[in-house]
Coordinates of all heavy atoms in Angstrom, one line a residue:
M934 N 0.8 -1.2 0.0 CA 0.0 0.0 0.0 C 0.9 1.2 0.1 O 1.8 1.3 0.7 CB -0.9 -0.1 1.3 CG -1.8 1.1 1.3 SD -3.0 1.1 0.0 CE -4.4 0.6 0.7
L935 N 0.5 2.2 -0.8 CA 1.3 3.4 -0.9 C 1.0 4.2 0.4 O 0.0 4.2 0.9 CB 0.9 4.2 -2.0 CG 1.2 3.8 -3.5 CD1 0.6 4.8 -4.4 CD2 2.6 3.6 -3.6
T936 N 2.1 5.0 0.8 CA 2.0 5.9 2.0 C 1.3 7.1 1.4 O 1.2 7.5 0.3 CB 3.2 6.2 2.7 OG1 4.0 6.9 1.7 CG2 4.0 4.9 3.0
L937 N 0.8 7.9 2.5 CA 0.2 9.2 2.1 C 1.3 10.1 1.5 O 1.1 10.8 0.5 CB -0.4 9.9 3.4 CG -0.9 11.3 3.1 CD1 -2.1 11.3 2.1 CD2 -1.4 11.9 4.5
D938 N 2.5 10.0 2.0 CA 3.6 11.0 1.5 C 3.8 10.5 0.0 O 4.1 11.4 -0.8 CB 4.9 10.7 2.2 CG 4.8 11.4 3.5 OD1 4.0 12.4 3.7 OD2 5.7 11.1 4.5
E939 N 3.9 9.2 -0.3 CA 4.0 8.7 -1.8 C 2.9 9.2 -2.7 O 3.1 9.7 -3.8 CB 4.2 7.3 -1.8 CG 5.5 6.8 -1.2 CD 5.5 5.3 -1.1 OE1 4.5 4.6 -0.8 OE2 6.6 4.7 -1.2
A940 N 1.7 9.1 -2.1 CA 0.5 9.6 -3.0 C 0.7 11.1 -3.2 O 0.3 11.6 -4.3 CB -0.7 9.2 -2.3
L941 N 1.0 11.9 -2.1 CA 1.3 13.3 -2.4 C 2.3 13.7 -3.3 O 2.3 14.6 -4.0 CB 1.4 14.0 -1.0 CG 0.1 14.0 0.0 CD1 0.5 14.5 1.3 CD2 -1.1 14.7 -0.7
T942 N 3.4 12.9 -3.2 CA 4.5 13.1 -4.1 C 4.0 12.9 -5.7 O 4.5 13.7 -6.4 CB 5.7 12.2 -3.8 OG1 6.1 12.4 -2.5 CG2 6.8 12.2 -4.9
I943 N 3.3 12.0 -5.9 CA 2.8 11.7 -7.2 C 1.9 12.9 -7.6 O 2.0 13.5 -8.6 CB 2.0 10.4 -7.4 CG1 3.0 9.3 -7.2 CG2 1.2 10.3 -8.7 CD1 2.3 8.0 -7.1
E944 N 0.9 13.2 -6.7 CA 0.0 14.3 -7.0 C 0.6 15.7 -7.2 O 0.3 16.5 -8.1 CB -1.0 14.4 -5.8 CG -2.0 15.5 -5.8 CD -3.0 15.4 -7.0 OE1 -3.2 14.4 -7.6 OE2 -3.5 16.6 -7.4
N945 N 1.6 16.0 -6.2 CA 2.2 17.4 -6.4 C 3.5 17.5 -7.1 O 4.0 18.5 -7.4 CB 2.5 17.8 -4.9 CG 1.3 17.8 -4.0 OD1 0.2 18.2 -4.5 ND2 1.5 17.7 -2.8
Q946 N 4.0 16.2 -7.6 CA 5.2 16.2 -8.4 C 6.3 16.8 -7.7 O 7.1 17.7 -8.2 CB 5.0 16.7 -9.9 CG 4.0 16.0 -10.6 CD 3.7 16.4 -12.0 OE1 4.4 17.4 -12.3 NE2 2.8 15.9 -12.7
D947 N 6.4 16.6 -6.4 CA 7.4 17.3 -5.6 C 8.6 16.3 -5.0 O 9.0 16.6 -3.9 CB 6.8 18.1 -4.5 CG 6.0 17.2 -3.5 OD1 6.0 16.1 -3.7 OD2 5.6 17.8 -2.5
A948 N 8.9 15.3 -5.8 CA 9.9 14.5 -5.3 C 11.3 15.2 -5.3 O 11.4 16.2 -6.1 CB 10.1 13.3 -6.2
P949 N 12.2 14.8 -4.4 CA 13.5 15.6 -4.3 C 14.3 15.6 -5.6 O 15.0 16.5 -6.0 CB 14.2 14.9 -3.2 CG 13.4 13.7 -2.9 CD 12.1 13.8 -3.5
D950 N 14.1 14.5 -6.4 CA 14.9 14.4 -7.8 C 14.1 13.5 -8.7 O 13.1 12.9 -8.2 CB 16.2 14.0 -7.6 CG 16.3 12.6 -6.9 OD1 15.6 11.7 -7.1 OD2 17.3 12.5 -6.1
E951 N 14.5 13.5 -10.0 CA 13.8 12.7 -11.0 C 13.7 11.2 -10.6 O 12.7 10.6 -10.8 CB 14.4 12.9 -12.3 CG 13.7 12.4 -13.5 CD 14.2 12.8 -14.8 OE1 15.4 13.3 -14.9 OE2 13.6 12.5 -15.8
A952 N 14.9 10.7 -10.2 CA 14.9 9.3 -9.8 C 13.9 9.0 -8.8 O 13.3 7.9 -8.8 CB 16.3 8.8 -9.3
A953 N 13.7 9.8 -7.8 CA 12.9 9.5 -6.6 C 11.4 9.6 -7.2 O 10.5 8.8 -6.7 CB 13.0 10.5 -5.5
H954 N 11.2 10.6 -8.1 CA 9.8 10.7 -8.7 C 9.4 9.4 -9.4 O 8.3 8.9 -9.2 CB 9.8 11.9 -9.6 CG 8.6 12.0 -10.4 ND1 7.4 12.4 -9.8 CD2 8.3 11.8 -11.7 CE1 6.4 12.4 -10.7 NE2 6.9 12.0 -11.9
Y955 N 10.3 8.9 -10.2 CA 10.0 7.7 -11.0 C 10.0 6.5 -10.1 O 9.2 5.5 -10.4 CB 10.9 7.5 -12.2 CG 10.7 8.5 -13.2 CD1 11.6 9.4 -13.6 CD2 9.5 8.5 -13.9 CE1 11.4 10.4 -14.6 CE2 9.1 9.4 -14.9 CZ 10.1 10.4 -15.2 OH 9.8 11.3 -16.2
A956 N 10.7 6.4 -9.1 CA 10.7 5.3 -8.1 C 9.4 5.2 -7.4 O 8.8 4.1 -7.3 CB 11.8 5.5 -7.1
T957 N 8.8 6.5 -7.0 CA 7.5 6.5 -6.5 C 6.4 6.0 -7.4 O 5.5 5.3 -7.1 CB 7.2 7.8 -5.9 OG1 8.2 8.3 -5.0 CG2 5.9 8.0 -5.2
L958 N 6.6 6.5 -8.7 CA 5.6 6.0 -9.7 C 5.7 4.6 -9.9 O 4.7 3.8 -10.1 CB 5.8 6.7 -11.0 CG 5.3 8.3 -11.1 CD1 5.8 8.9 -12.4 CD2 3.9 8.4 -10.9
Q959 N 6.9 4.0 -10.0 CA 7.0 2.5 -10.2 C 6.4 1.8 -8.9 O 5.8 0.8 -9.2 CB 8.6 2.2 -10.2 CG 8.7 0.7 -10.6 CD 8.1 0.2 -12.0 OE1 8.5 0.8 -12.9 NE2 7.2 -0.7 -12.0
R960 N 6.5 2.3 -7.7 CA 5.9 1.6 -6.6 C 4.4 1.7 -6.7 O 3.7 0.7 -6.5 CB 6.4 2.3 -5.3 CG 5.7 1.7 -4.1 CD 6.5 2.3 -2.9 NE 5.8 2.0 -1.6 CZ 5.5 0.8 -1.1 NH1 5.9 -0.3 -1.6 NH2 4.8 0.7 0.0
A961 N 3.9 2.8 -7.3 CA 2.4 3.0 -7.4 C 1.9 2.0 -8.5 O 0.9 1.3 -8.3 CB 2.0 4.4 -7.8
I962 N 2.7 1.8 -9.5 CA 2.3 0.9 -10.6 C 2.3 -0.6 -10.0 O 1.5 -1.2 -10.3 CB 3.3 1.0 -11.8 CG1 3.1 2.3 -12.5 CG2 3.2 -0.1 -12.8 CD1 4.3 2.9 -13.4
N963 N 3.5 -0.9 -9.3 CA 3.6 -2.2 -8.8 C 2.4 -2.5 -7.7 O 2.0 -3.7 -7.7 CB 4.9 -2.4 -8.0 CG 6.1 -2.3 -8.9 OD1 6.0 -2.4 -10.1 ND2 7.2 -2.1 -8.4
E964 N 1.9 -1.5 -7.1 CA 0.7 -1.6 -6.1 C -0.6 -1.8 -6.8 O -1.5 -2.0 -6.2 CB 0.8 -0.4 -5.1 CG 2.0 -0.5 -4.2 CD 2.0 -1.6 -3.1 OE1 0.9 -2.0 -2.7 OE2 3.0 -2.1 -2.7
G965 N -0.6 -1.4 -8.1 CA -1.8 -1.4 -8.9 C -2.7 -0.2 -8.5 O -4.0 -0.3 -8.4
A966 N -2.1 0.9 -8.3 CA -2.9 2.1 -7.8 C -3.6 2.8 -9.0 O -3.6 4.1 -9.0 CB -1.9 3.1 -7.2
W967 N -4.2 2.1 -9.9 CA -4.9 2.6 -11.1 C -6.2 3.3 -10.7 O -6.8 4.0 -11.6 CB -5.1 1.6 -12.2 CG -3.7 1.1 -12.6 CD1 -3.1 -0.2 -12.2 CD2 -2.9 1.8 -13.5 NE1 -1.9 -0.2 -12.9 CE2 -1.7 0.9 -13.6 CE3 -2.8 3.0 -14.1 CZ2 -0.6 1.4 -14.4 CZ3 -1.7 3.4 -14.8 CH2 -0.6 2.5 -15.0
T968 N -6.7 3.1 -9.6 CA -8.1 3.7 -9.2 C -7.8 5.0 -8.5 O -8.9 5.6 -8.1 CB -8.9 2.7 -8.3 OG1 -8.1 2.4 -7.1 CG2 -9.2 1.3 -9.0
F969 N -6.6 5.5 -8.4 CA -6.5 6.9 -7.8 C -7.1 7.9 -8.8 O -7.4 7.5 -9.9 CB -4.9 7.1 -7.7 CG -4.4 6.5 -6.5 CD1 -4.9 5.5 -5.7 CD2 -3.1 7.0 -5.9 CE1 -4.3 5.1 -4.6 CE2 -2.5 6.5 -4.8 CZ -3.1 5.5 -4.1
Q970 N -7.0 9.1 -8.4 CA -7.7 10.1 -9.3 C -6.9 10.1 -10.6 O -5.8 9.7 -10.8 CB -7.7 11.5 -8.6 CG -6.3 12.1 -8.3 CD -6.3 13.4 -7.7 OE1 -7.5 14.0 -7.6 NE2 -5.3 13.9 -7.3
G971 N -7.5 10.8 -11.6 CA -7.0 10.8 -13.0 C -5.6 11.3 -13.2 O -4.8 10.5 -13.9
S972 N -5.1 12.3 -12.5 CA -3.8 12.7 -12.7 C -2.7 11.7 -12.3 O -1.7 11.6 -12.9 CB -3.6 14.1 -11.9 OG -3.7 13.8 -10.5
C973 N -3.1 11.0 -11.3 CA -2.1 9.8 -10.8 C -1.9 8.8 -11.9 O -0.9 8.4 -12.2 CB -2.5 9.3 -9.5 SG -2.4 10.4 -8.1
G974 N -3.1 8.4 -12.3 CA -3.1 7.4 -13.4 C -2.4 7.9 -14.7 O -1.6 7.0 -15.3
R975 N -2.7 9.1 -15.1 CA -2.0 9.6 -16.2 C -0.6 9.8 -16.0 O 0.2 9.4 -16.9 CB -2.7 10.9 -16.6 CG -4.0 10.9 -17.2 CD -4.4 12.2 -17.7 NE -4.7 13.3 -16.7 CZ -5.8 13.4 -15.9 NH1 -6.8 12.6 -16.2 NH2 -5.8 14.4 -15.1
A976 N -0.1 10.1 -14.9 CA 1.3 10.2 -14.5 C 2.0 8.8 -14.6 O 3.1 8.6 -15.2 CB 1.6 10.7 -13.1
M977 N 1.3 7.8 -14.1 CA 1.8 6.4 -14.2 C 1.9 6.0 -15.7 O 2.8 5.3 -16.1 CB 1.0 5.5 -13.4 CG 1.1 5.7 -11.8 SD 0.2 4.5 -10.8 CE -1.4 4.8 -11.2
M978 N 0.8 6.2 -16.4 CA 0.9 5.8 -17.8 C 1.9 6.5 -18.6 O 2.6 6.0 -19.4 CB -0.5 6.1 -18.3 CG -0.8 5.3 -19.6 SD -0.8 3.6 -19.1 CE -0.2 2.9 -20.7
A979 N 2.1 7.8 -18.3 CA 3.1 8.6 -19.0 C 4.6 8.0 -18.7 O 5.3 8.0 -19.6 CB 3.1 10.1 -18.6
A980 N 4.8 7.6 -17.4 CA 6.1 7.1 -17.0 C 6.3 5.8 -17.8 O 7.5 5.6 -18.1 CB 6.1 6.9 -15.5
I981 N 5.3 5.0 -17.9 CA 5.4 3.8 -18.6 C 5.6 4.0 -20.1 O 6.6 3.4 -20.7 CB 4.1 2.9 -18.5 CG1 4.1 2.4 -17.0 CG2 4.2 1.6 -19.4 CD1 2.6 1.8 -16.7
E982 N 4.8 4.8 -20.7 CA 5.0 5.1 -22.2 C 6.3 5.7 -22.4 O 6.9 5.6 -23.5 CB 3.9 6.0 -22.6 CG 2.5 5.2 -22.7 CD 1.4 6.1 -23.1 OE1 1.5 7.4 -23.0 OE2 0.3 5.5 -23.4
G983 N 6.9 6.6 -21.4 CA 8.1 7.3 -21.7 C 9.3 6.4 -21.4 O 10.6 6.8 -21.5
G984 N 9.1 5.1 -21.0 CA 10.2 4.2 -20.7 C 10.9 4.3 -19.4 O 11.9 3.8 -19.1
H985 N 10.2 5.1 -18.4 CA 10.8 5.4 -17.2 C 10.5 4.3 -16.2 O 11.1 4.1 -15.2 CB 10.4 6.7 -16.6 CG 11.0 7.8 -17.6 ND1 12.2 8.3 -17.6 CD2 10.2 8.6 -18.4 CE1 12.3 9.2 -18.4 NE2 11.1 9.5 -19.0
C986 N 9.3 3.7 -16.4 CA 8.8 2.6 -15.5 C 8.3 1.6 -16.4 O 7.9 1.6 -17.6 CB 7.6 3.2 -14.7 SG 8.1 4.5 -13.5
L987 N 8.1 0.4 -15.7 CA 7.6 -0.9 -16.4 C 6.2 -1.3 -15.7 O 6.1 -1.2 -14.5 CB 8.5 -2.0 -16.4 CG 9.9 -1.7 -17.1 CD1 10.7 -3.0 -16.9 CD2 9.5 -1.7 -18.7
L988 N 5.3 -1.8 -16.5 CA 4.0 -2.3 -16.0 C 4.3 -3.6 -15.2 O 3.6 -3.8 -14.2 CB 3.0 -2.5 -17.1 CG 1.7 -3.0 -16.7 CD1 1.1 -2.0 -15.6 CD2 0.7 -3.0 -17.9
G989 N 5.2 -4.5 -15.6 CA 5.5 -5.8 -15.0 C 4.8 -6.9 -15.7 O 4.4 -6.9 -16.8
H990 N 4.7 -8.0 -14.9 CA 4.3 -9.3 -15.5 C 2.8 -9.6 -15.6 O 2.3 -10.3 -16.3 CB 4.9 -10.5 -14.8 CG 6.5 -10.5 -14.9 ND1 7.0 -11.0 -16.1 CD2 7.5 -10.2 -14.1 CE1 8.3 -10.9 -15.9 NE2 8.6 -10.5 -14.7
R991 N 2.0 -8.7 -14.8 CA 0.7 -8.9 -14.8 C 0.0 -7.6 -15.2 O 0.5 -6.5 -14.9 CB 0.2 -9.5 -13.4 CG 0.4 -8.5 -12.3 CD -0.2 -8.9 -11.0 NE -0.1 -7.9 -10.1 CZ -0.9 -7.7 -9.1 NH1 -1.8 -8.6 -8.8 NH2 -0.8 -6.7 -8.2
G992 N -1.2 -7.7 -15.8 CA -1.9 -6.5 -16.1 C -2.8 -6.0 -15.0 O -3.0 -6.7 -14.0
F993 N -3.2 -4.9 -15.1 CA -4.1 -4.2 -14.2 C -5.3 -3.6 -15.0 O -5.3 -3.4 -16.2 CB -3.4 -3.1 -13.5 CG -2.5 -3.6 -12.5 CD1 -1.1 -3.6 -12.8 CD2 -2.8 -4.1 -11.2 CE1 -0.2 -4.1 -11.9 CE2 -1.8 -4.5 -10.3 CZ -0.5 -4.5 -10.7
Q994 N -6.3 -3.2 -14.2 CA -7.4 -2.5 -14.8 C -7.5 -1.1 -14.3 O -7.1 -0.7 -13.2 CB -8.7 -3.1 -14.5 CG -9.0 -4.4 -15.0 CD -10.4 -5.0 -14.6 OE1 -10.9 -4.6 -13.7 NE2 -10.8 -6.0 -15.4
D995 N -7.8 -0.1 -15.2 CA -7.9 1.2 -14.7 C -9.2 1.5 -14.1 O -10.0 0.6 -13.8 CB -7.7 2.3 -16.0 CG -8.8 2.2 -17.0 OD1 -9.8 1.5 -16.7 OD2 -8.7 2.7 -18.1
A996 N -9.5 2.7 -13.7 CA -10.6 3.1 -12.9 C -11.9 2.8 -13.7 O -13.0 2.6 -13.1 CB -10.5 4.6 -12.5
Y997 N -11.9 2.7 -14.9 CA -13.1 2.3 -15.8 C -13.2 0.8 -16.1 O -14.1 0.5 -16.8 CB -13.0 3.2 -17.2 CG -13.0 4.6 -16.9 CD1 -11.8 5.3 -17.0 CD2 -14.1 5.4 -16.5 CE1 -11.7 6.7 -16.8 CE2 -14.0 6.7 -16.2 CZ -12.8 7.4 -16.4 OH -12.8 8.7 -16.1
G998 N -12.3 0.1 -15.6 CA -12.3 -1.4 -15.8 C -11.6 -1.8 -17.1 O -11.7 -3.0 -17.5
S999 N -11.0 -0.8 -17.8 CA -10.2 -1.2 -18.9 C -8.9 -1.9 -18.6 O -8.2 -1.4 -17.8 CB -10.0 0.0 -19.9 OG -11.3 0.7 -20.2
P1000 N -8.7 -3.0 -19.3 CA -7.3 -3.7 -19.0 C -6.1 -3.0 -19.5 O -6.2 -2.5 -20.7 CB -7.6 -5.1 -19.5 CG -8.5 -4.9 -20.7 CD -9.4 -3.8 -20.3
F1001 N -5.1 -3.1 -18.9 CA -3.7 -2.8 -19.4 C -3.2 -4.1 -19.6 O -2.9 -5.0 -18.8 CB -2.8 -2.1 -18.3 CG -3.4 -0.7 -18.1 CD1 -4.1 -0.5 -16.9 CD2 -3.0 0.3 -19.0 CE1 -4.5 0.9 -16.7 CE2 -3.5 1.6 -18.7 CZ -4.2 2.0 -17.6
K1002 N -2.9 -4.5 -20.9 CA -2.3 -5.7 -21.3 C -0.8 -5.7 -21.4 O -0.3 -4.6 -21.8 CB -2.9 -6.2 -22.6 CG -4.4 -6.4 -22.5 CD -5.0 -6.8 -23.8 CE -6.5 -7.0 -23.7 NZ -7.1 -7.3 -25.0
V1003 N -0.2 -6.8 -21.1 CA 1.3 -6.8 -21.1 C 1.8 -7.8 -22.1 O 1.2 -8.8 -22.3 CB 1.8 -7.3 -19.7 CG1 3.3 -7.4 -19.7 CG2 1.2 -6.4 -18.6
S1004 N 2.8 -7.3 -22.9 CA 3.3 -8.2 -24.0 C 4.4 -9.1 -23.2 O 5.3 -8.6 -22.6 CB 4.1 -7.3 -24.9 OG 4.9 -8.1 -25.8
P1005 N 4.2 -10.4 -23.4 CA 5.2 -11.3 -22.7 C 6.6 -11.2 -23.2 O 7.5 -11.5 -22.4 CB 4.6 -12.8 -22.9 CG 3.5 -12.6 -23.8 CD 3.2 -11.2 -24.0
Q1006 N 6.7 -10.8 -24.4 CA 8.1 -10.7 -25.0 C 8.8 -9.5 -24.5 O 9.9 -9.5 -24.2 CB 8.0 -10.5 -26.6 CG 7.5 -11.8 -27.3 CD 5.9 -11.7 -27.3 OE1 5.2 -10.8 -26.9 NE2 5.4 -12.8 -27.8
S1007 N 8.2 -8.4 -24.4 CA 8.9 -7.1 -23.9 C 8.6 -6.6 -22.5 O 9.2 -5.8 -22.1 CB 8.5 -6.0 -24.9 OG 7.2 -5.8 -24.9
R1008 N 7.5 -7.2 -22.0 CA 7.0 -6.7 -20.6 C 6.6 -5.3 -20.7 O 6.7 -4.6 -19.6 CB 8.0 -6.9 -19.5 CG 8.4 -8.4 -19.3 CD 9.2 -8.5 -18.1 NE 9.9 -9.8 -18.1 CZ 11.0 -10.0 -17.3 NH1 11.3 -9.2 -16.5 NH2 11.5 -11.1 -17.5
L1009 N 6.2 -4.7 -21.8 CA 5.8 -3.4 -21.9 C 4.3 -3.5 -22.2 O 3.8 -4.3 -22.8 CB 6.6 -2.7 -23.1 CG 8.0 -2.5 -22.9 CD1 8.7 -1.8 -24.2 CD2 8.4 -1.7 -21.7
P1010 N 3.7 -2.3 -21.8 CA 2.2 -2.3 -21.9 C 1.7 -2.2 -23.2 O 2.4 -1.5 -24.1 CB 1.8 -1.1 -21.0 CG 3.0 -0.2 -21.1 CD 4.2 -1.1 -21.1
L1011 N 0.7 -2.8 -23.5 CA -0.1 -2.7 -24.9 C -1.4 -2.1 -24.6 O -2.4 -2.5 -25.0 CB -0.2 -4.0 -25.5 CG 1.1 -4.8 -25.8 CD1 0.8 -6.2 -26.5 CD2 1.9 -3.9 -26.9
A1012 N -1.4 -1.0 -23.7 CA -2.6 -0.3 -23.3 C -3.0 0.8 -24.2 O -2.2 1.3 -25.0 CB -2.3 0.3 -22.0
P1013 N -4.4 0.9 -24.5 CA -4.9 2.0 -25.4 C -4.5 3.3 -24.7 O -4.5 3.5 -23.5 CB -6.4 1.8 -25.3 CG -6.6 1.0 -24.1 CD -5.4 0.3 -23.8
R1014 N -4.2 4.3 -25.5 CA -4.0 5.6 -25.1 C -5.2 6.3 -24.7 O -6.3 6.1 -25.4 CB -3.3 6.5 -26.1 CG -1.9 6.0 -26.5 CD -1.2 6.9 -27.4 NE 0.1 6.4 -27.7 CZ 1.2 6.9 -27.2 NH1 1.2 7.8 -26.4 NH2 2.4 6.3 -27.6
V1015 N -5.3 7.0 -23.6 CA -6.5 7.6 -23.1 C -6.4 9.2 -23.3 O -5.3 9.7 -23.3 CB -6.6 7.4 -21.5 CG1 -7.8 8.0 -21.0 CG2 -6.7 5.8 -21.3

């Protein structure tokens, strides 16, 4: 489970440095925090699409129930753009 500080770091984009920002986003992705408010989900998706974070071996659903599918070859998301 994400801590309140981690959630606020994503929301406010106030990590001490870029590495900490993406580490927090990766933790949110790993935790499956796709039901957070829209800006958090968009930040996680942008980090994945930008190559800064990975979705992992299993897929998740966004707040609307749309699946994020994972390619077994590359472990990168094959999710529709929102």
